Amino acid sequence: MLTVNEVEKFILNLVKPITDKELVPLSQATNRILAENISSSFDFPYDDNSAMDGYAVKYQNVAMASQDSPVSLKIIEEIPAGYCPQKTILDGETSRIFTGAILPQGADSIVIQENTQREGDQIKVFASPLKNEFVRYQGSYYRAGECLLSAGYKINPPEMAILAAAQCLEVPVIRSPIIAILSTGDELIAPEESMEKGKIIDSNQYLLASFIQQNGGIPLSLGIIPDHPLALENAIKEALNQADWVISTGGVSVGDYDYVDQVLEKLGGKIHVKGVKMKPGKPLTVATFCHDKLYFGIPGNPVSTMVTCWRFLQTAIEKLSAKKNYSYPSIVKGITFNNLRSQGTRETYVWGNVSLIKGHYQFTIAKGSHNSGNLVNLQQINGLAIIPINTNLIEIGDDVEIMLVNN
């Protein structure tokens, strides 16, 4: 059985990033992965403009201005943002200017209004600016024709603003991965069905769909599949035909009704991982089919499902989505406020909450019973304390590695 780190490397080596592209309207580009380098025909800023409210001046006219020896200038024009200056600044002249407004010809610096006193069409300047102070020069942020945004990066709010400023109304993005979800088990019922003794409501469909959406994928929920080899075979065939990847929950342990692995092999899948030294999450199957399709058979207990997603699938989906700077799980060092126990045979993940106090991470275990079926105390957690293999106890106040989640 492989270790957690070995499985992580194995999975990432199997992932082949999507190369299909599509154009989407700018309004729909948030959280997508840019498929091509973007350039603009505009300089940024578009023109020389003022960074402050004040007066546009020739520096040489005000270089000697001081409180004791102010310089007087004549106001020849007022320039609000969005207005094109009509006059050129000559010696002894100035224009009233506002933040974002175009700098008039002849001016090279801005005197902020706090350092002036206005009297009719004249001002007195009581302090000299630095030369070029508070002027944002055309092209100082970006030159037209150069690469503005690089392919392979996620479009976050700043990138959205840049695309808008460049008038990129249709954005080339990587096609979002489609990931099919199957829940296996005769005991499962959908949330809208009437509850019966011995049945369990299938929460994993919703957990996985939310997780996939949160990480930029498109979930394809194919419902509950009974514990019957033929039903499972047909469902997996359908899923492989419709999706880039398939995730199923349940049916990958060693019970009499766990058929996933044998069905995968019958369908021509190559199984690369059969179990991981991890708690919760030990019964993990990873298989590949032709055309680089991956199949993940993960445990059915909801905490195991969630921990497996956080530990392995989040990074894998980012790589599948062609994100260049895909991120590995964020693991930090902190101290624990609880005793953390493990049998020591598997890398154990204990869920709870992390606080950053005076630059130090502190971990507190979630209240309630800690077993892989207790979905309730998973709510609002933001960290998983990691107990290494061959460690049975991490005592209160000891150092512990913590994997940050939901951040």
Side-chain angles (χ1 to χ4, degrees), residues 77-97:
E77 188 177 22
E78 184 168 290
I79 310 171
Y83 172 81
C84 186
Q86 303 297 306
K87 297 182 179 180
T88 299
I89 301 295
L90 302 176
D91 289 338
E93 296 179 340
T94 186
S95 289
R96 178 76 167 115
I97 195 166

Side-chain angles (χ1 to χ4, degrees), residues 86-367:
Q86 303 297 306
K87 297 182 179 180
T88 299
I89 301 295
L90 302 176
D91 289 338
E93 296 179 340
T94 186
S95 289
R96 178 76 167 115
I97 195 166
F98 296 88
T99 302
I102 295 176
L103 194 72
Q105 291 291 319
D108 59 14
S109 304
I110 303 296
V111 176
I112 59 175
Q113 60 189 27
E114 292 86 345
N115 292 335
T116 66
Q117 180 180 318
R118 182 168 182 169
E119 298 174 355
D121 65 350
Q122 299 280 325
I123 62 162
K124 288 183 178 180
V125 179
F126 293 98
S128 172
L130 300 173
K131 189 172 184 180
N132 308 127
E133 190 168 23
F134 302 122
V135 175
R136 297 182 290 212
Y137 283 99
Q138 179 177 346
S140 59
Y141 305 161
Y142 166 81
R143 288 289 183 184
E146 296 177 351
C147 180
L148 180 61
L149 293 172
S150 298
Y153 291 93
K154 185 178 178 182
I155 301 172
N156 293 310
E159 288 76 22
M160 286 292 290
I162 293 168
L163 290 166
Q167 290 188 326
C168 185
L169 303 182
E170 287 194 317
V171 184
V173 296
I174 296 294
R175 173 181 64 78
S176 295
I178 300 170
I179 302 178
I181 305 166
L182 305 173
S183 297
T184 70
D186 290 337
E187 74 279 14
L188 298 177
I189 61 171
E192 62 271 16
E193 295 182 66
S194 297
M195 191 61 176
E196 300 177 17
K197 284 287 187 182
K199 296 297 184 181
I200 300 172
I201 295 172
D202 176 22
S203 59
N204 281 335
Q205 289 274 331
Y206 294 86
L207 181 153
L208 287 170
S210 176
F211 173 79
I212 291 164
Q213 286 178 320
Q214 190 179 61
N215 288 281
I218 299 173
L220 178 63
S221 296
L222 297 180
I224 299 168
I225 313 304
D227 287 323
H228 190 282
L230 184 57
L232 186 59
E233 181 180 335
N234 290 334
I236 292 174
K237 281 181 182 178
E238 180 184 357
L240 290 170
N241 285 333
Q242 296 186 53
D244 298 294
W245 284 2
V246 182
I247 301 175
S248 68
T249 55
V252 289
S253 192
V254 291
D256 291 342
Y257 298 96
D258 294 329
Y259 299 117
V260 169
D261 287 359
Q262 68 183 59
V263 170
L264 293 177
E265 290 176 334
K266 181 180 178 182
L267 292 174
K270 182 179 180 180
I271 296 178
H272 301 271
V273 176
K274 291 185 71 170
V276 55
K277 292 180 181 178
M278 173 178 170
K279 182 180 180 181
K282 174 184 174 183
L284 170 66
T285 292
V286 180
T288 52
F289 288 83
C290 59
H291 309 300
D292 300 321
K293 293 196 175 187
L294 267 66
Y295 187 103
F296 296 91
I298 63 180
N301 281 321
V303 177
S304 300
T305 300
M306 192 72 259
V307 172
T308 300
C309 286
W310 281 328
R311 188 60 187 84
F312 300 120
L313 296 189
Q314 191 160 324
T315 301
I317 292 173
E318 285 192 9
K319 184 176 180 183
L320 174 66
S321 302
K323 186 178 179 184
K324 278 187 178 177
N325 59 336
Y326 60 85
S327 56
Y328 289 83
S330 180
I331 297 175
V332 300
K333 288 189 176 181
I335 60 170
T336 177
F337 278 17
N338 305 93
N339 287 326
L340 305 175
R341 301 181 186 278
S342 167
Q343 294 178 347
T345 56
R346 290 181 277 161
E347 187 168 297
T348 301
Y349 291 74
V350 181
W351 49 102
N353 291 95
V354 186
S355 302
L356 186 60
I357 308 296
K358 295 182 179 179
H360 299 282
Y361 287 99
Q362 300 176 355
F363 177 82
T364 304
I365 196 169
K367 294 180 180 179

